[in-house]
Amino acid sequence: MYTFDSRVRYSETDEDARLTLESMIDYMQDCTNFQSEDLGVGLEYHRERQIMWVLNFWQIVIDEYPRMGEWITVGTQSFGFEKMFGHRNFLITQKDAPEKRVAVANSLWVLMDLQKGRPMIVSPEIGEVYGVHEPLPMEYASRKIKVPGEGGEARQGFVVKEYHLDTNHHVNNGQYVRMALEALAEDFVVRELRVEYRKQAVLGDEITPVIYCRDQERLVALNGSDGKPYAVVQFFIK
């Protein structure tokens, strides 16, 4: 497993001085990018070949939210490739107690051919550089999240701004989670997060959050002007 250590920064914490969910996602995204850069298949490699890995699904199980100043170890590993898909785990532990899990994640990525604008088969040249490992122990969920047909509450819509975007000029994966949390505007602790990314939002797109609440579950469909979701964000709360 590829890993890096980090100290939880004040800027990454909430009002209780604990790592935020959004910052935890940022750590995981940084980890996979660091690994790609160190393996020689980073941003420039993908730009030259006009290819891009697009996140299709997140599942993150959170055991605890570290406090400001605590040291953590963030790790990632691939655990298989099939056709245009790549499977990847993430693991965050306490640096001084690696047996103590902070969070574990399952994710599914799609390799895109940017010139043709469609998914492409993961060739050995692209996939083998990461290796294939045994999946980490966790309860793996379906990558499809069903949106209820009725009962949703639409919230105030907004327009995608420049600060929502990443180097691919699309809304960053973590930003969708921020949007969903802002739309909910509730005080709760997330024990598991699932996100299905259905299409890519870009600068100027309009997004309307539609919220569905049920017991210990909060689901937010981040819909475009056509009423179809860019992403569906599902929170299981304590």
Side-chain angles (χ1 to χ4, degrees):
M1 175 174 286
Y2 177 90
T3 64
F4 77 95
D5 297 329
S6 184
R7 193 179 187 189
V8 175
R9 298 162 178 79
Y10 179 79
S11 58
E12 299 168 339
T13 60
D14 58 18
E15 59 186 355
D16 296 319
R18 289 188 176 274
L19 184 69
T20 65
L21 175 59
E22 304 98 293
S23 295
M24 187 177 292
I25 291 171
D26 289 341
Y27 269 118
M28 293 181 180
Q29 291 190 131
D30 288 343
C31 190
T32 189
N33 280 293
F34 290 161
Q35 183 188 34
S36 293
E37 292 293 335
D38 290 353
L39 290 173
V41 290
L43 291 177
E44 287 305 315
Y45 175 92
H46 288 85
R47 283 173 178 163
E48 290 173 0
R49 289 159 179 78
Q50 286 293 288
I51 60 176
M52 176 176 65
W53 284 103
V54 176
L55 184 59
N56 177 269
F57 175 72
W58 267 122
Q59 178 194 6
I60 305 175
V61 178
I62 303 104
D63 295 334
E64 67 170 289
Y65 291 86
R67 292 185 178 278
M68 191 275 291
E70 292 184 349
W71 282 90
I72 58 175
T73 298
V74 186
T76 187
Q77 65 179 27
S78 63
F79 64 93
F81 300 94
E82 53 179 326
K83 297 183 178 180
M84 71 285 293
F85 295 111
H87 299 270
R88 179 170 289 274
N89 280 136
F90 294 88
L91 179 67
I92 302 178
T93 59
Q94 291 188 358
K95 180 184 176 183
D96 296 331
E99 74 284 352
K100 191 167 184 180
R101 193 178 77 177
V102 171
V104 64
N106 162 40
S107 62
L108 181 68
W109 302 74
V110 178
L111 184 62
M112 297 292 297
D113 182 325
L114 298 181
Q115 290 183 323
K116 297 180 179 179
R118 64 189 186 193
M120 61 180 286
I121 299 297
V122 181
S123 67
E125 174 193 1
I126 297 172
E128 288 179 358
V129 67
Y130 294 105
V132 176
H133 305 80
E134 286 296 318
L136 295 179
M138 64 179 294
E139 185 176 338
Y140 287 78
S142 169
R143 66 184 179 92
K144 295 294 185 180
I145 301 175
K146 184 177 181 180
V147 179
E150 56 185 24
E153 178 186 349
R155 296 290 171 89
Q156 181 65 43
F158 54 88
V159 176
V160 173
K161 304 293 186 181
E162 289 186 358
Y163 65 83
H164 292 125
L165 308 180
D166 58 21
T167 56
N168 297 314
H169 311 296
H170 303 135
V171 172
N172 181 267
N173 302 319
Q175 288 287 351
Y176 290 104
V177 178
R178 290 181 173 92
M179 293 171 181
L181 287 170
E182 289 176 2
L184 284 168
E186 287 186 63
D187 185 17
F188 53 71
V189 177
V190 178
R191 60 178 176 82
E192 183 174 345
L193 166 73
R194 298 177 189 172
V195 188
E196 181 188 353
Y197 298 93
R198 297 191 178 180
K199 57 180 180 176
Q200 298 167 356
V202 298
L203 184 67
D205 283 341
E206 296 182 3
I207 297 179
T208 300
V210 180
I211 295 171
Y212 303 83
C213 298
R214 183 177 61 187
D215 299 328
Q216 301 303 104
E217 177 188 345
R218 301 290 183 271
L219 187 147
V220 182
L222 296 168
N223 293 345
S225 55
D226 60 358
K228 297 180 180 180
Y230 288 106
V232 180
V233 185
Q234 188 176 31
F235 303 98
F236 295 92
I237 64 178
K238 294 181 180 179

